Structure formats: C-alpha cells, structure tokens
Amino acid sequence: MNGALVPTLPRSAYVDEGAWQVERERIFARQWVLAGRESDIATAGDFLRTDVAGESVIVVRRDDGQLGAFYNVCRHRGAEIVDTCGASNGSFGALIRCPYHSWTYGFDGALRRTPFMDVPVLDNRLIDETVPIALHPVGVDTWGGFVFVHLTPAQARPLLDQLGAMVERVQRYPLTELRSGATFEYDVACNWKVIAENYNECYHCAPVHPELCDLVPAFRRGGAELGWVDGIPLREGAWTFTSNGTSEREPFEGLDAAERQRHKGELVYPNLLLSLSAEHVAAYNLQPRGPATTHVVCDLLFHPDEIVRTTFDPSDAGDLWDIVNRQDWRICESVQRGMSSRAWTGGWFAPMEDESADISRWYAASMAAVAGSVDDHDRGDAGGFGDGPDDG
Ligand code: FES
C-alpha cells in the first residue's frame, strides 16, 4: 500500500441514518451554521427561513435593527410559524403571527396576543407565571454579510473563533457590501460531506470539468502544485471565473495584484463554500436533509454598483457556474451510489486530495468534541431537541 494514502471516513459516515442523527446533534446543533444573507432581511419584520439539518429556523429583523432567530415552531401547539412548503423569504408585517390560531409574537420572540383567551400574558409567561411562552431562541450572528445561526446558543463560542484564519485570508474582498445577482438551487442526492470533499480537491477536474480546465489549464494536472491561499492562476488573458475569463464588471477595489488576476476558494466548516473571483463571489450554502440528500443554494454575489447598472448581466458567470455545479452534482451522486454498495467499506485520499483529508480530520474532531455530553446538554428553553441520538 502507498504510505502517502490517507483513509477516508468509513462508509457509515456517508450512508447511515444513525451516523446522520449523531451529526445533527454533534455538528449542526453545536456549531454556527450558515443561514443566508443579511441583505435579504434589511427591514424590520423581514424574515428568512432556513433548514439546519432538519431543524427549521427563522431569522427576523427586529424593530431595533438587530437580528433575532428562533426555532420555527409555535409555543401553542407546535405549528410552523412559516410553512416550510412556502417561501423562504418575506415579511411578517407588524407582528409574527402563527397561521394556525393566530397567536402573535414580537420580533424579539415575545408572545403578544392569544385570541379569545382569558389567561394573562405576563413577561412571556402564561397562566401562573411558570410556563415560558416566548419563541424558542436560536443564536444568531453575522460576518461578511452572511447570517449564521446556532441551535444551542447557551453553548455557542464566538462566531469569529469558529471562522478562524479564513477571515484574514479573505479580508480584502468586500463581502459585507456584496448583493446577490443570481441564485441557483439544487437538490443533490448525496451526503453533504461528499460535496465538501469534492469542493476541496481538483484531482477530479480533468475528467469532470473540461470548461473549467480551459480556464485553469493547471487543473488538467490536478492543480497539486497550486496554492489556494495565494490564488489559482488562470489562462493567459483571463482574470475571472466567467465563460470567457473576462468581464465588463470592475474588479473589487482593495484587492491586491494577485487577487485581481487569480481565484481563491475557502471551505468554511460546516456548510459555507466560498469561491472568490476578482469581480464576483460564488457562495454555496449546503443544507443537508438526510444522509444522502443535500439542498444546495449557490448565490453569485456582486458589488451593488454593478447590479444597478442597466447593462448588468450575471449570465457570463452564472452560465459557467451552473455547468460546473451540475458536473459536480452528477459525479457526487454517482459517488454516493457507489459508496452505498455493500462492497465499499471506505476508501483513500490521494496525496493531492490532502485538503479533503483535512475535512475528515475536522469531522472526527467535531464528532468527538462533545462525545459524552450528548445526553446531558441543556434541554431548557434554548435547547429543545428532545432526546439526543443514541450513538451506542
Ligand atoms: Fe400556533 Fe395554535 S399552533 S397559534
């Protein structure tokens, strides 16, 4: 066996329902998770709804301009405040109103009215002041214009601690200012880690991405000699990730000389993938829905000065990204089917897949970090997960 090979996670991490249930608790209930863009909830009452590994969450702009986040569940009899079959963005108007019996809540989550009831609502407590009644809180914070939520806010560490050194690596990109100019959504029949591992290596680029290899010829050799921190060099005459490698849009102000010519990528654990070009940024939000299903939202972010131009047309970037995305999803779904075979018990990362091996190291550490605390974590007002998974 080649000693340079590193084992992948075991088959169970990609295909088993039991492993997925443990991930929900140990990763997605224990870390900051990308929810969306802050610019989509600019005005008091605006909301976005997201799914955090099966937990529906709403984020709302409060009257004081801050953000509030809550489990998407009414304290009366459990109806969803925002129907997950409906829109993922919108406005509550003056109050948050449950569609079932019209209990209403303020944007801070406090219960305001209970129609046709005599019991008083007092300091968010009902009846005898022992029944808490505000919406279940979720942690919320922002970075770079992105909204992150945390299902167990009492145990959350600061968001910037979790984001780590990446923040400095992308500091010259004006992420907070950027706005969505095009959005692509996909339902991909594979485990979310298959997508993350695929994102972090270009060993597959030559067989899977001919158009991308035209733009980055080094990808035909797997890109092993390239440094993602320094940026990926494009072909002669190309300077951004569009169909022809150029654009009418201006590079972002403040980038250094290399960033105006090269492409950068970051995998921000657990569910944000950033692909940074000189004049736009592709931001992927991975929303796992089960061990073999992942909803992916791909937002192409542009400077607002470009979006307001009458000539603004994001299709030069969007066409390329959609091609590359679909190529990735097709091979990722094939990988998922292959991993599901009884013959596959685990595989290997080649030396040029070291970044993917790093995901496995992060994953193992994340899954071990709270081992033993699954069954004794805070189940109070802020938790509310019910029984934790039995991971044996
Ligand atoms: Fe929400 Fe009844 S379930 S008001």
Side-chain angles (χ1 to χ4, degrees):
M1 182 179 75
N2 185 338
L5 296 175
V6 175
T8 67
L9 295 167
R11 176 182 183 276
S12 60
Y14 301 97
V15 305
D16 277 10
E17 177 66 26
W20 159 243
Q21 293 300 333
V22 178
E23 277 181 12
R24 292 181 68 209
E25 187 69 21
R26 295 190 179 177
I27 293 178
F28 292 98
R30 300 294 171 151
Q31 300 197 13
W32 291 101
V33 176
L34 174 66
R37 290 290 290 173
E38 190 174 7
S39 55
D40 290 338
I41 42 177
T43 304
D46 287 354
F47 74 85
L48 66 82
R49 173 183 53 75
T50 191
D51 183 284
V52 181
E55 283 291 338
S56 186
V57 168
I58 51 176
V59 183
V60 61
R61 179 71 65 180
R62 303 188 332 188
D63 294 309
D64 63 3
Q66 301 299 305
L67 295 179
F70 310 98
Y71 285 85
N72 183 19
V73 54
C74 179
R75 291 300 296 254
H76 176 214
R77 280 175 47 211
E80 291 177 320
I81 300 292
V82 178
D83 189 335
T84 56
C85 298
S88 58
N89 284 79
S91 173
F92 285 123
L95 288 168
I96 299 173
R97 181 184 303 279
C98 175
Y100 198 2
H101 311 93
S102 287
W103 281 26
T104 55
Y105 304 84
F107 300 146
D108 58 357
L111 183 66
R112 293 287 182 82
R113 285 198 290 273
T114 53
F116 312 117
M117 285 174 57
D118 294 332
V119 294
V121 176
L122 186 65
D123 292 335
N124 286 320
R125 288 174 190 275
L126 269 184
I127 306 172
D128 60 0
E129 302 186 25
T130 64
V131 183
I133 206 71
L135 294 176
H136 293 282
V138 166
V140 62
D141 204 348
T142 61
W143 166 81
F146 296 100
V147 178
F148 294 82
V149 294
H150 198 297
L151 293 184
T152 316
Q155 299 181 7
R157 60 175 169 159
L159 173 62
L160 287 179
D161 283 2
Q162 180 177 312
L163 298 178
M166 176 277 304
V167 170
E168 188 174 344
R169 290 197 294 269
V170 303
Q171 62 181 322
R172 285 178 291 277
Y173 293 85
L175 294 172
T176 304
E177 296 174 49
L178 302 186
R179 299 290 181 268
S180 178
T183 301
F184 301 86
E185 298 198 41
Y186 311 89
D187 287 305
V188 189
C190 74
N191 187 278
W192 64 281
K193 299 186 295 299
V194 172
I195 295 174
E197 291 170 351
N198 177 76
Y199 182 76
N200 250 17
E201 52 91 356
C202 219
Y203 196 16
H204 72 279
C205 286
V208 174
H209 298 306
E211 296 83 1
L212 203 52
C213 290
D214 286 343
L215 190 59
V216 186
F219 280 173
R220 294 196 178 96
R221 302 183 299 278
E225 75 278 24
L226 304 178
W228 284 94
V229 173
D230 298 326
I232 300 301
L234 310 185
R235 71 160 184 260
E236 184 82 24
W239 58 272
T240 188
F241 262 39
T242 57
S243 299
N244 65 8
T246 67
S247 175
E248 295 297 312
R249 295 178 291 275
E250 294 289 328
F252 299 133
E253 287 184 14
L255 299 184
D256 66 21
E259 289 163 342
R260 284 171 169 253
Q261 295 290 329
R262 296 180 171 213
H263 191 83
K264 292 189 173 182
E266 296 280 351
L267 193 165
V268 187
Y269 298 125
N271 73 323
L272 168 61
L273 316 182
L274 277 178
S275 205
L276 305 116
S277 297
E279 49 71 43
H280 76 271
V281 171
Y284 294 78
N285 181 342
L286 305 187
Q287 299 179 6
R289 300 286 166 84
T293 309
T294 306
H295 185 70
V296 182
V297 180
C298 172
D299 251 338
L300 300 187
L301 306 176
F302 300 87
H303 197 281
D305 290 349
E306 298 289 351
I307 291 177
V308 298
R309 292 186 204 280
T310 56
T311 55
F312 175 70
D313 179 1
S315 64
D316 56 348
D319 289 351
L320 177 63
W321 282 115
D322 193 40
I323 288 171
V324 173
N325 289 342
R326 291 179 188 281
Q327 291 166 339
D328 277 328
W329 310 154
R330 182 172 181 179
I331 198 67
C332 285
E333 290 182 338
S334 175
V335 168
Q336 184 72 29
R337 290 192 295 272
M339 284 177 161
S340 301
S341 166
R342 62 199 293 271
W344 196 84
T345 56
W348 304 95
F349 292 119
M352 67 172 61
E353 297 174 294
D354 188 58
E355 294 297 327
S356 295
D358 181 65
I359 296 173
S360 298
R361 289 187 283 269
W362 165 84
Y363 180 82
S366 297
M367 293 289 272
V370 291
S373 66
V374 170
D375 293 327
D376 58 9
H377 74 275
D378 174 20
R379 299 187 189 286
D381 203 31
F385 245 108
D387 292 339
D390 177 5
D391 61 331

